[in-house]
Coordinates of all heavy atoms in Angstrom, one line a residue:
M1 N -5.8 -7.8 -6.9 CA -7.0 -8.4 -6.2 C -7.7 -7.3 -5.4 O -7.1 -6.6 -4.7 CB -6.5 -9.5 -5.3 CG -7.5 -10.2 -4.6 SD -6.8 -11.7 -3.7 CE -8.0 -12.0 -2.5
V2 N -9.0 -7.2 -5.6 CA -9.8 -6.2 -4.8 C -10.8 -7.0 -3.9 O -11.5 -7.9 -4.4 CB -10.6 -5.3 -5.8 CG1 -11.4 -4.3 -5.0 CG2 -9.6 -4.6 -6.7
L3 N -10.8 -6.6 -2.7 CA -11.7 -7.3 -1.7 C -12.3 -6.3 -0.7 O -11.5 -5.7 0.1 CB -10.8 -8.3 -0.9 CG -11.5 -9.5 -0.2 CD1 -12.1 -10.4 -1.1 CD2 -10.4 -10.2 0.6
E4 N -13.5 -6.0 -0.8 CA -14.2 -5.1 0.1 C -13.5 -3.8 0.3 O -13.1 -3.5 1.5 CB -14.5 -5.8 1.4 CG -15.5 -7.0 1.3 CD -15.6 -7.8 2.6 OE1 -14.9 -7.4 3.6 OE2 -16.4 -8.7 2.6
G5 N -13.1 -3.1 -0.7 CA -12.4 -1.8 -0.6 C -11.0 -2.0 -0.3 O -10.3 -1.0 -0.1
K6 N -10.5 -3.2 -0.2 CA -9.0 -3.4 0.0 C -8.4 -3.9 -1.3 O -9.0 -4.7 -2.0 CB -8.8 -4.5 1.1 CG -9.3 -4.1 2.4 CD -9.0 -5.2 3.4 CE -9.5 -4.8 4.8 NZ -9.2 -5.9 5.8
I7 N -7.2 -3.4 -1.6 CA -6.5 -3.9 -2.8 C -5.3 -4.6 -2.2 O -4.6 -4.1 -1.3 CB -6.0 -2.7 -3.7 CG1 -7.3 -2.0 -4.2 CG2 -5.1 -3.2 -4.8 CD1 -7.0 -0.8 -5.0
I8 N -5.0 -5.8 -2.7 CA -4.0 -6.7 -2.1 C -3.0 -7.1 -3.2 O -3.4 -7.5 -4.3 CB -4.6 -7.9 -1.5 CG1 -5.6 -7.5 -0.4 CG2 -3.5 -8.8 -0.9 CD1 -6.4 -8.7 0.2
K9 N -1.7 -6.9 -3.0 CA -0.7 -7.3 -3.9 C 0.5 -7.7 -3.2 O 1.0 -7.1 -2.3 CB -0.4 -6.1 -4.9 CG 0.6 -6.5 -6.0 CD 0.8 -5.3 -7.0 CE 2.0 -5.6 -7.9 NZ 1.6 -6.2 -9.2
Q10 N 1.1 -8.8 -3.7 CA 2.4 -9.3 -3.2 C 3.5 -8.6 -3.9 O 3.6 -8.5 -5.1 CB 2.5 -10.8 -3.5 CG 3.6 -11.5 -2.7 CD 3.4 -11.7 -1.2 OE1 2.2 -11.8 -0.8 NE2 4.4 -11.6 -0.4
I11 N 4.4 -8.0 -3.1 CA 5.6 -7.3 -3.6 C 6.8 -7.9 -2.9 O 7.1 -7.6 -1.8 CB 5.6 -5.8 -3.3 CG1 4.4 -5.1 -3.9 CG2 6.9 -5.1 -3.8 CD1 4.4 -4.9 -5.4
G12 N 7.4 -8.8 -3.6 CA 8.6 -9.5 -3.0 C 8.1 -10.3 -1.8 O 7.1 -11.0 -1.8
K13 N 8.8 -10.0 -0.7 CA 8.5 -10.7 0.6 C 7.2 -10.1 1.3 O 6.7 -10.7 2.2 CB 9.7 -10.7 1.5 CG 10.1 -9.2 1.9 CD 11.4 -9.2 2.7 CE 11.8 -7.8 2.9 NZ 13.1 -7.7 3.7
Y14 N 6.8 -9.0 0.8 CA 5.7 -8.3 1.5 C 4.3 -8.4 0.8 O 4.3 -8.3 -0.4 CB 6.0 -6.8 1.6 CG 7.2 -6.4 2.5 CD1 8.0 -5.4 2.2 CD2 7.5 -7.2 3.6 CE1 9.0 -5.0 3.0 CE2 8.5 -6.8 4.4 CZ 9.3 -5.8 4.1 OH 10.4 -5.4 4.9
K15 N 3.3 -8.6 1.6 CA 1.9 -8.5 1.1 C 1.5 -7.0 1.4 O 1.5 -6.6 2.6 CB 1.0 -9.5 1.7 CG -0.4 -9.5 1.1 CD -1.2 -10.6 1.6 CE -1.7 -10.4 3.0 NZ -2.6 -11.5 3.4
V16 N 1.1 -6.3 0.4 CA 0.6 -4.9 0.5 C -0.9 -4.9 0.5 O -1.5 -5.4 -0.4 CB 1.2 -4.1 -0.6 CG1 0.8 -2.6 -0.4 CG2 2.7 -4.2 -0.6
V17 N -1.5 -4.3 1.5 CA -2.9 -4.2 1.6 C -3.3 -2.7 1.6 O -2.9 -2.0 2.6 CB -3.5 -4.9 2.8 CG1 -5.0 -4.8 2.8 CG2 -3.1 -6.4 2.7
L18 N -4.0 -2.2 0.6 CA -4.4 -0.8 0.6 C -5.8 -0.8 1.1 O -6.7 -1.4 0.6 CB -4.4 -0.3 -0.8 CG -3.1 -0.2 -1.6 CD1 -3.4 0.5 -2.9 CD2 -2.1 0.7 -0.8
I19 N -6.0 0.1 2.1 CA -7.4 0.3 2.7 C -7.9 1.6 2.1 O -7.5 2.7 2.7 CB -7.4 0.4 4.2 CG1 -6.5 -0.7 4.8 CG2 -8.8 0.4 4.8 CD1 -7.0 -2.1 4.8
Q20 N -8.6 1.6 1.0 CA -8.9 2.8 0.3 C -9.8 3.7 1.1 O -9.6 5.0 1.0 CB -9.6 2.5 -1.0 CG -8.7 1.9 -2.1 CD -9.4 1.7 -3.4 OE1 -10.5 1.2 -3.4 NE2 -8.7 2.1 -4.5
S21 N -10.6 3.2 2.0 CA -11.4 4.1 2.8 C -10.6 5.0 3.8 O -11.1 6.0 4.3 CB -12.4 3.3 3.6 OG -11.8 2.4 4.5
K22 N -9.4 4.6 4.0 CA -8.5 5.4 4.9 C -7.7 6.5 4.1 O -7.0 7.3 4.7 CB -7.5 4.5 5.7 CG -8.2 3.7 6.7 CD -7.1 3.0 7.5 CE -7.7 2.2 8.7 NZ -6.6 1.4 9.4
C23 N -7.7 6.4 2.8 CA -6.8 7.2 2.0 C -7.4 8.6 2.0 O -8.6 8.9 1.7 CB -6.7 6.7 0.6 SG -5.7 7.7 -0.5
I24 N -6.6 9.6 2.3 CA -7.0 11.0 2.2 C -6.2 11.8 1.1 O -6.1 13.0 1.1 CB -6.7 11.7 3.6 CG1 -5.3 11.6 4.0 CG2 -7.7 11.2 4.7 CD1 -4.9 12.5 5.1
A25 N -5.6 11.0 0.2 CA -5.0 11.6 -1.0 C -3.8 12.5 -0.6 O -3.5 13.4 -1.4 CB -6.0 12.3 -1.9
A26 N -3.1 12.2 0.4 CA -1.9 12.9 0.8 C -0.8 12.8 -0.2 O 0.1 13.6 -0.3 CB -1.5 12.5 2.2
A27 N -0.8 11.6 -0.9 CA 0.1 11.3 -2.0 C 1.6 11.1 -1.6 O 2.4 11.1 -2.4 CB 0.0 12.3 -3.1
S28 N 1.9 11.0 -0.3 CA 3.3 10.8 0.1 C 3.7 9.4 -0.4 O 4.9 9.2 -0.8 CB 3.5 11.0 1.6 OG 2.5 10.3 2.3
C29 N 2.8 8.4 -0.4 CA 3.2 7.1 -0.9 C 3.5 7.2 -2.4 O 4.4 6.5 -2.9 CB 2.0 6.1 -0.7 SG 0.5 6.5 -1.6
I30 N 2.8 8.1 -3.1 CA 3.1 8.2 -4.6 C 4.4 8.9 -4.8 O 5.1 8.5 -5.8 CB 1.9 8.9 -5.2 CG1 0.7 8.1 -5.1 CG2 2.2 9.2 -6.7 CD1 -0.6 8.8 -5.3
A31 N 4.8 9.8 -4.0 CA 6.1 10.5 -4.1 C 7.2 9.5 -3.9 O 8.2 9.6 -4.6 CB 6.2 11.6 -3.1
I32 N 7.0 8.5 -3.1 CA 8.1 7.5 -2.8 C 8.0 6.4 -3.8 O 9.1 5.9 -4.2 CB 8.0 7.0 -1.3 CG1 8.2 8.2 -0.4 CG2 8.9 5.9 -1.1 CD1 7.9 7.9 1.1
S33 N 6.9 5.9 -4.1 CA 6.7 4.7 -5.0 C 5.8 5.1 -6.2 O 4.7 4.5 -6.4 CB 6.1 3.5 -4.3 OG 6.9 3.1 -3.3
P34 N 6.3 6.0 -7.1 CA 5.5 6.4 -8.2 C 5.2 5.4 -9.3 O 4.3 5.5 -10.1 CB 6.2 7.6 -8.8 CG 7.7 7.3 -8.4 CD 7.6 6.7 -7.1
D35 N 6.0 4.3 -9.2 CA 5.8 3.2 -10.2 C 4.8 2.2 -9.7 O 4.5 1.2 -10.4 CB 7.1 2.5 -10.6 CG 8.0 3.5 -11.3 OD1 7.5 4.4 -12.0 OD2 9.2 3.3 -11.2
L36 N 4.3 2.3 -8.4 CA 3.5 1.3 -7.8 C 2.1 1.9 -7.5 O 1.1 1.3 -7.7 CB 4.1 0.8 -6.6 CG 3.3 -0.3 -5.9 CD1 3.2 -1.5 -6.8 CD2 4.0 -0.7 -4.5
F37 N 2.1 3.1 -6.9 CA 0.8 3.7 -6.4 C 0.4 4.9 -7.3 O 1.3 5.6 -7.9 CB 1.0 4.2 -5.0 CG 1.3 3.2 -4.0 CD1 2.5 3.2 -3.3 CD2 0.5 2.1 -3.8 CE1 2.8 2.3 -2.3 CE2 0.8 1.1 -2.9 CZ 2.0 1.2 -2.1
R38 N -0.9 5.1 -7.4 CA -1.4 6.3 -8.0 C -2.8 6.6 -7.4 O -3.3 5.8 -6.7 CB -1.5 6.1 -9.6 CG -2.6 5.2 -10.0 CD -2.7 5.0 -11.5 NE -3.7 4.0 -11.8 CZ -3.7 3.3 -12.9 NH1 -2.8 3.6 -13.9 NH2 -4.6 2.4 -13.1
L39 N -3.3 7.8 -7.7 CA -4.6 8.1 -7.3 C -5.6 7.9 -8.4 O -5.3 8.3 -9.6 CB -4.7 9.6 -6.8 CG -3.9 9.9 -5.5 CD1 -4.0 11.4 -5.2 CD2 -4.4 9.1 -4.3
N40 N -6.7 7.4 -8.1 CA -7.7 7.2 -9.2 C -8.6 8.4 -9.3 O -8.4 9.4 -8.6 CB -8.5 5.9 -9.0 CG -9.4 6.0 -7.7 OD1 -9.6 7.0 -7.2 ND2 -9.8 4.8 -7.3
E41 N -9.7 8.4 -10.1 CA -10.5 9.5 -10.4 C -11.2 10.0 -9.1 O -11.6 11.1 -9.0 CB -11.6 9.2 -11.4 CG -11.3 8.3 -12.6 CD -11.1 6.8 -12.2 OE1 -12.1 6.3 -11.6 OE2 -10.0 6.3 -12.4
E42 N -11.4 9.1 -8.2 CA -12.0 9.4 -6.9 C -11.0 9.9 -5.8 O -11.4 10.0 -4.7 CB -12.8 8.2 -6.4 CG -14.0 7.9 -7.3 CD -14.5 6.5 -7.0 OE1 -14.0 5.8 -6.2 OE2 -15.5 6.1 -7.7
N43 N -9.8 10.1 -6.3 CA -8.7 10.5 -5.3 C -8.5 9.5 -4.3 O -8.2 9.8 -3.1 CB -9.0 11.9 -4.7 CG -8.3 13.0 -5.4 OD1 -7.4 12.7 -6.2 ND2 -8.6 14.2 -5.0
L44 N -8.6 8.2 -4.6 CA -8.2 7.1 -3.7 C -7.0 6.4 -4.3 O -6.9 6.2 -5.5 CB -9.4 6.1 -3.6 CG -10.7 6.7 -3.0 CD1 -11.8 5.7 -3.0 CD2 -10.4 7.1 -1.5
V45 N -6.1 6.0 -3.4 CA -4.9 5.3 -3.8 C -5.3 4.0 -4.5 O -6.2 3.3 -4.1 CB -4.0 5.1 -2.6 CG1 -4.6 4.1 -1.6 CG2 -2.6 4.7 -3.1
E46 N -4.5 3.6 -5.5 CA -4.7 2.3 -6.1 C -3.3 1.8 -6.6 O -2.4 2.6 -6.7 CB -5.7 2.3 -7.3 CG -5.3 3.1 -8.4 CD -6.4 3.1 -9.5 OE1 -7.5 2.7 -9.3 OE2 -6.0 3.5 -10.7
I47 N -3.2 0.6 -6.9 CA -2.0 0.0 -7.4 C -2.0 0.0 -8.9 O -3.0 -0.4 -9.6 CB -1.8 -1.4 -6.9 CG1 -1.4 -1.3 -5.4 CG2 -0.7 -2.1 -7.6 CD1 -1.2 -2.6 -4.7
I48 N -0.9 0.5 -9.5 CA -0.8 0.6 -11.0 C -0.7 -0.9 -11.5 O 0.1 -1.6 -11.0 CB 0.5 1.4 -11.4 CG1 0.3 2.8 -10.9 CG2 0.7 1.3 -12.9 CD1 1.6 3.7 -11.0
E49 N -1.5 -1.2 -12.5 CA -1.4 -2.5 -13.1 C -0.1 -2.8 -13.6 O 0.5 -2.0 -14.4 CB -2.5 -2.7 -14.2 CG -2.9 -4.1 -14.4 CD -4.0 -4.2 -15.5 OE1 -4.8 -3.3 -15.5 OE2 -4.0 -5.2 -16.2
G50 N 0.5 -3.9 -13.2 CA 1.9 -4.2 -13.7 C 3.0 -3.4 -13.0 O 4.1 -3.6 -13.2
G51 N 2.6 -2.5 -12.0 CA 3.5 -1.7 -11.3 C 4.2 -2.5 -10.2 O 3.7 -3.5 -9.7
T52 N 5.4 -2.1 -9.9 CA 6.1 -2.7 -8.8 C 7.1 -1.7 -8.2 O 7.3 -0.6 -8.7 CB 6.8 -4.0 -9.2 OG1 7.3 -4.7 -8.1 CG2 8.0 -3.7 -10.2
D53 N 7.8 -2.2 -7.2 CA 8.9 -1.3 -6.6 C 9.7 -2.3 -5.7 O 9.3 -3.4 -5.4 CB 8.2 -0.2 -5.7 CG 9.2 0.9 -5.4 OD1 10.4 0.8 -5.8 OD2 8.8 1.9 -4.8
E54 N 10.8 -1.8 -5.2 CA 11.6 -2.6 -4.2 C 10.8 -2.7 -2.9 O 10.2 -1.7 -2.4 CB 12.9 -1.9 -3.9 CG 13.8 -1.8 -5.1 CD 14.2 -3.2 -5.6 OE1 14.5 -4.1 -4.7 OE2 14.3 -3.4 -6.8
P55 N 10.7 -3.9 -2.3 CA 10.0 -4.1 -1.1 C 10.3 -3.1 0.0 O 9.4 -2.6 0.7 CB 10.3 -5.5 -0.7 CG 10.6 -6.2 -2.0 CD 11.3 -5.2 -2.9
D56 N 11.6 -2.8 0.2 CA 12.0 -1.9 1.2 C 11.4 -0.5 1.0 O 11.1 0.3 1.9 CB 13.5 -1.8 1.3 CG 14.1 -3.0 1.9 OD1 13.3 -3.9 2.5 OD2 15.3 -3.2 1.9
N57 N 11.3 -0.1 -0.3 CA 10.8 1.2 -0.7 C 9.2 1.2 -0.4 O 8.7 2.2 0.0 CB 11.1 1.5 -2.1 CG 11.3 3.0 -2.4 OD1 11.9 3.7 -1.6 ND2 10.8 3.5 -3.5
V58 N 8.6 0.1 -0.7 CA 7.2 0.0 -0.4 C 6.9 0.1 1.1 O 5.9 0.8 1.5 CB 6.6 -1.4 -0.9 CG1 5.2 -1.5 -0.6 CG2 6.8 -1.4 -2.4
M59 N 7.8 -0.4 1.9 CA 7.7 -0.2 3.4 C 7.8 1.3 3.7 O 7.0 1.8 4.5 CB 8.7 -1.0 4.1 CG 8.7 -0.8 5.6 SD 7.2 -1.4 6.4 CE 7.6 -3.1 6.7
L60 N 8.7 2.0 3.1 CA 8.9 3.4 3.3 C 7.6 4.1 2.9 O 7.1 5.1 3.6 CB 10.0 4.0 2.5 CG 11.4 3.7 3.0 CD1 12.5 4.3 2.1 CD2 11.6 4.2 4.4
S61 N 7.0 3.7 1.8 CA 5.7 4.4 1.4 C 4.6 4.2 2.5 O 3.9 5.1 2.8 CB 5.2 3.7 0.1 OG 6.1 4.1 -0.9
A62 N 4.6 2.9 3.0 CA 3.6 2.6 4.0 C 3.8 3.5 5.2 O 2.9 4.0 5.8 CB 3.6 1.1 4.3
Q63 N 5.1 3.6 5.6 CA 5.4 4.4 6.8 C 5.2 5.9 6.6 O 5.0 6.6 7.6 CB 6.9 4.1 7.2 CG 7.0 2.7 7.7 CD 8.5 2.3 7.9 OE1 9.4 2.9 7.3 NE2 8.7 1.2 8.7
S64 N 5.1 6.3 5.3 CA 4.9 7.7 5.1 C 3.4 8.1 5.1 O 3.1 9.3 5.2 CB 5.4 8.1 3.7 OG 4.6 7.7 2.7
C65 N 2.6 7.1 5.1 CA 1.1 7.4 5.0 C 0.6 7.9 6.3 O 0.7 7.2 7.3 CB 0.4 6.1 4.5 SG -1.4 6.4 4.4
P66 N 0.0 9.1 6.3 CA -0.4 9.6 7.6 C -1.6 8.9 8.2 O -1.9 9.1 9.4 CB -0.8 11.1 7.2 CG -1.1 11.1 5.8 CD -0.2 10.0 5.2
T67 N -2.3 8.1 7.5 CA -3.5 7.5 8.0 C -3.4 6.0 8.2 O -4.4 5.3 8.5 CB -4.7 7.8 7.1 OG1 -4.5 7.2 5.8 CG2 -5.0 9.3 6.9
G68 N -2.3 5.4 7.8 CA -2.1 3.9 7.9 C -3.0 3.2 6.9 O -3.4 2.1 7.1
A69 N -3.1 3.8 5.7 CA -4.0 3.2 4.7 C -3.2 2.1 4.0 O -3.8 1.3 3.2 CB -4.4 4.3 3.7
I70 N -1.9 2.0 4.2 CA -1.1 1.0 3.5 C -0.6 0.0 4.6 O 0.2 0.4 5.4 CB 0.1 1.6 2.7 CG1 -0.4 2.6 1.7 CG2 0.8 0.5 2.0 CD1 0.7 3.4 1.0
E71 N -1.1 -1.2 4.6 CA -0.6 -2.2 5.5 C 0.4 -3.1 4.9 O 0.2 -3.5 3.7 CB -1.8 -3.0 6.1 CG -2.8 -2.1 6.8 CD -4.0 -2.9 7.4 OE1 -4.2 -4.1 7.0 OE2 -4.7 -2.3 8.2
I72 N 1.4 -3.5 5.6 CA 2.4 -4.4 5.1 C 2.4 -5.7 6.0 O 2.5 -5.6 7.2 CB 3.8 -3.8 5.2 CG1 3.8 -2.4 4.4 CG2 4.9 -4.7 4.6 CD1 3.8 -2.5 2.9
Y73 N 2.4 -6.8 5.3 CA 2.4 -8.1 6.0 C 3.6 -9.0 5.4 O 3.9 -8.9 4.2 CB 1.1 -8.9 5.8 CG -0.1 -8.3 6.4 CD1 -0.7 -7.2 5.7 CD2 -0.6 -8.8 7.5 CE1 -1.9 -6.6 6.3 CE2 -1.8 -8.2 8.1 CZ -2.4 -7.1 7.5 OH -3.5 -6.5 8.0
E74 N 4.2 -9.8 6.3 CA 5.2 -10.8 5.8 C 4.8 -12.1 6.5 O 4.7 -12.2 7.7 CB 6.6 -10.3 6.2 CG 7.6 -11.3 5.7 CD 9.1 -10.8 5.9 OE1 9.2 -9.8 6.7 OE2 10.0 -11.4 5.4
N75 N 4.6 -13.1 5.6 CA 4.1 -14.4 6.1 C 2.9 -14.3 7.1 O 2.9 -14.9 8.1 CB 5.3 -15.1 6.9 CG 6.4 -15.4 6.0 OD1 6.2 -15.6 4.8 ND2 7.6 -15.3 6.5
D76 N 2.0 -13.4 6.7 CA 0.7 -13.2 7.4 C 0.9 -12.5 8.8 O 0.0 -12.4 9.6 CB -0.1 -14.5 7.6 CG -0.7 -14.9 6.3 OD1 -1.0 -14.0 5.5 OD2 -0.9 -16.1 6.0
K77 N 2.2 -12.0 9.0 CA 2.4 -11.2 10.2 C 2.4 -9.8 9.8 O 3.0 -9.3 8.9 CB 3.8 -11.6 10.8 CG 4.1 -10.9 12.1 CD 5.4 -11.4 12.7 CE 5.8 -10.7 14.0 NZ 6.2 -9.4 13.9
K78 N 1.6 -9.0 10.5 CA 1.5 -7.6 10.2 C 2.7 -6.8 10.7 O 3.0 -6.8 11.9 CB 0.2 -7.0 10.9 CG -0.1 -5.6 10.4 CD -1.4 -5.1 11.2 CE -2.1 -4.0 10.5 NZ -3.2 -3.6 11.3
L79 N 3.4 -6.2 9.7 CA 4.6 -5.4 10.1 C 4.3 -3.9 10.2 O 5.0 -3.2 11.0 CB 5.7 -5.6 9.0 CG 6.2 -7.0 8.8 CD1 7.3 -7.0 7.7 CD2 6.7 -7.7 10.0
W80 N 3.3 -3.5 9.5 CA 3.0 -2.0 9.5 C 1.5 -1.8 9.1 O 1.1 -2.5 8.3 CB 3.9 -1.3 8.5 CG 3.8 0.2 8.7 CD1 2.9 1.0 8.0 CD2 4.4 1.0 9.6 NE1 3.0 2.3 8.5 CE2 4.0 2.3 9.5 CE3 5.4 0.7 10.6 CZ2 4.4 3.4 10.3 CZ3 5.9 1.8 11.4 CH2 5.4 3.1 11.2
P81 N 0.8 -0.9 9.8 CA 1.3 -0.1 10.9 C 1.3 -0.9 12.2 O 0.6 -2.0 12.2 CB 0.2 1.0 11.0 CG -1.0 0.5 10.3 CD -0.5 -0.5 9.3
P82 N 2.1 -0.5 13.2 CA 2.1 -1.2 14.4 C 0.7 -1.2 15.1 O 0.0 -0.2 14.9 CB 3.1 -0.5 15.3 CG 3.4 0.8 14.6 CD 2.9 0.7 13.2
E83 N 0.4 -2.2 15.8 CA -0.9 -2.3 16.5 C -1.0 -1.3 17.6 O 0.0 -1.1 18.3 CB -1.2 -3.7 17.0 CG -1.2 -4.8 15.9 CD -2.4 -4.7 15.0 OE1 -3.3 -3.8 15.2 OE2 -2.4 -5.4 14.0
Ligands
SF4_1 S1 0.0 8.2 1.6 FE1 -1.8 7.3 2.4 S2 -3.4 8.8 2.4 FE2 -1.7 9.5 1.0 S3 -2.3 8.8 -1.0 FE3 -1.0 7.2 -0.1 S4 -2.5 5.8 0.8 FE4 -3.6 7.7 0.5

């Protein structure tokens, strides 16, 4: 699902929200979750169609992002990044 530059996908218990405008193509998320994230032609992170990963690993990816471009929610509570 794409909404105003945000890509949203449910991965197990987590809702993953990618804020593409914050992505600087550091690719640390891709190193951790190569089956879920990739860079598109514009060097912005996107979710691979049909891709997935273990929820805990997705959290690690989010925590590795230097710009907070990957947000993690559980039951609409924001877990990452911290406010
Ligand atoms: S780690 Fe963050 S900045 Fe780097 S590619 Fe992933 S989303 Fe973009």
Side-chain angles (χ1 to χ4, degrees):
M1 178 174 160
V2 180
L3 197 68
E4 292 174 2
K6 295 181 181 176
I7 298 173
I8 302 169
K9 184 174 169 96
Q10 191 75 31
I11 303 284
K13 59 187 176 180
Y14 295 145
K15 184 170 78 176
V16 180
V17 179
L18 295 184
I19 317 289
Q20 287 186 313
S21 60
K22 289 187 176 177
C23 178
I24 57 167
S28 46
C29 62
I30 295 163
I32 295 170
S33 295
D35 294 331
L36 182 63
F37 299 120
R38 69 178 174 204
L39 293 177
N40 66 17
E41 325 70 60
E42 295 164 357
N43 260 350
L44 295 175
V45 68
E46 66 180 17
I47 288 180
I48 296 169
E49 201 176 328
T52 191
D53 198 358
E54 292 298 318
D56 289 348
N57 214 40
V58 177
M59 176 63 89
L60 286 179
S61 291
Q63 292 171 338
S64 79
C65 179
T67 65
I70 305 173
E71 297 181 348
I72 304 286
Y73 295 78
E74 184 175 7
N75 298 327
D76 286 331
K77 183 175 183 286
K78 191 183 200 181
L79 301 182
W80 191 267
E83 301 292 352

